Amino acid sequence: MFRLLCVAATLLVAVQVCATGPARAQAGPPTVEEFVRDPVFSGPTLSPSGGKLAFYVTTGTVRRVFVRDLTGGPLKLVFESGWGENQEGRWVSSIHWKGDDRLVLAMSGWFPTVVSVNADGTDRREITTRPRPAGGAMRPFTPVGFLNVLPSRPDTILVQGYENERDRNFDLFEVNVRTGAASLVLKGEPLVIRYYVGRDGQVIGRLRREFDRPKAAQIIDTRDAVTGAWSEAVRVRMRDLEDAPNFEVIGPGPETGQAHVSVRPASSAEGATDAIHVYDFRTK
């Protein structure tokens, strides 16, 4: 973290030049006040080796992704998005590394998608297609969220999306970031809004909603690793959500079937911080 902050401070002026034009003359690093006022860049992410830093810069309605080789070399603009009149109405919401040389960009906005691009800005691929079951022509699917970078697999990631425009049930796809080819991992069911995956990419849980009054609720289900069967683990009625603990799955856990979660008890005093726990989907 200390290294990341030091690099961030040295990049501040360089980013101002790239994104907004010449910066004012400055004798040394920015002051603390200058550094935290109207942040110039966000979402800094180190590559797995720690040799490269990716981040995005928001200027007006444009959001640009930059990469800096920390061993030397210029700042590199690798991707640009925006929501202004002349942009596509979507923007980078998070940056993920797939190895040391390729980025996966989760895109939000009017047309959510996932984009992969080399760290030097070349070979951009938008993930929108998958092959038909019997081969032949590609058919489109619509990605709606990046789920897991699958660090143990060289070229594929997990993406949540749907291929049926009529029902829009969320499916799970494994996608090759270099070719864009996708294969269906799990077929979605009605009212499922998110899947949770473990360290090895295995599906360990899901979040779904029920809207039948007065029993409308949000439910977390767990998935049996052997049979694939789902079982209900947690149910919170919609009317009780405001009083329920702030519970969010933030990433895979240390073991298969576990996830790291952020929790803030409902009774916490104002200003209290979240605590990080390991939630075991195997034992519910």
Side-chain angles (χ1 to χ4, degrees):
M1 178 59 72
F2 178 75
R3 182 189 182 197
L4 188 57
L5 291 175
C6 291
V7 171
T10 62
L11 287 175
L12 181 58
V13 174
V15 171
Q16 287 176 323
V17 172
C18 291
T20 61
R24 66 175 178 82
Q26 188 164 338
T31 65
V32 172
E33 290 76 15
E34 289 173 322
F35 187 75
V36 300
R37 183 186 63 227
D38 299 328
V40 173
F41 61 90
S42 304
T45 306
L46 284 170
S47 64
S49 71
K52 295 176 183 177
L53 178 71
F55 56 92
Y56 61 79
V57 177
T58 305
T59 308
T61 62
V62 179
R63 181 166 289 177
R64 299 177 176 92
V65 176
F66 292 90
V67 169
R68 178 66 179 267
D69 189 332
L70 302 181
T71 63
L75 198 63
K76 182 70 176 180
L77 173 63
V78 300
F79 190 81
E80 185 173 296
S81 63
W83 54 92
E85 182 177 349
N86 298 320
Q87 283 84 41
E88 297 177 338
R90 55 187 182 179
W91 54 94
V92 176
S93 56
S94 61
I95 303 171
H96 311 268
W97 285 95
K98 184 60 177 176
D100 261 15
D101 299 312
R102 196 156 180 90
L103 296 172
V104 176
L105 310 176
M107 307 285 290
S108 300
W110 300 322
F111 306 102
T113 189
V114 177
V115 172
S116 71
V117 61
N118 284 338
D120 62 3
T122 61
D123 192 24
R124 168 182 168 179
R125 294 187 181 273
E126 186 169 330
I127 296 168
T128 58
T129 59
R130 78 180 187 92
R132 294 183 182 277
M138 304 287 280
R139 64 183 180 189
F141 82 95
T142 304
V144 295
F146 165 82
L147 281 184
N148 193 288
V149 76
L150 299 179
S152 64
R153 305 178 195 178
D155 295 319
T156 58
I157 61 174
L158 282 181
V159 174
Q160 183 173 284
Y162 59 87
E163 60 176 346
N164 189 328
E165 289 284 347
R166 180 174 299 177
D167 60 39
R168 295 199 174 190
N169 292 339
F170 285 174
D171 308 314
L172 193 60
F173 298 88
E174 184 169 350
V175 182
N176 189 301
V177 297
R178 301 190 182 278
T179 67
S183 58
L184 183 66
V185 173
L186 185 66
K187 187 64 181 173
E189 297 180 14
L191 303 181
V192 174
I193 59 176
R194 184 170 178 81
Y195 294 103
Y196 303 124
V197 295
R199 180 165 298 279
D200 300 324
Q202 76 282 8
V203 180
I204 59 176
R206 68 183 183 185
L207 177 65
R208 61 185 172 93
R209 290 175 176 170
E210 288 183 356
F211 292 101
D212 295 334
R213 295 183 179 179
K215 298 181 180 180
Q218 286 199 163
I219 302 111
I220 292 179
D221 295 325
T222 61
R223 188 170 189 248
D224 187 279
V226 177
T227 66
W230 294 100
S231 59
E232 184 176 311
V234 178
R235 173 183 290 263
V236 180
R237 292 182 300 179
M238 293 292 193
R239 65 186 183 185
D240 296 331
L241 279 178
E242 290 187 3
D243 298 325
N246 182 358
F247 179 96
E248 181 182 0
V249 176
I250 58 176
E255 298 180 9
T256 299
Q258 296 180 337
H260 283 108
V261 299
S262 172
V263 180
R264 179 183 299 179
S267 59
S268 295
E270 184 176 353
T273 58
D274 293 0
I276 307 300
H277 299 266
V278 173
Y279 183 88
D280 196 325
F281 280 81
R282 301 165 298 184
T283 60
K284 300 182 286 185

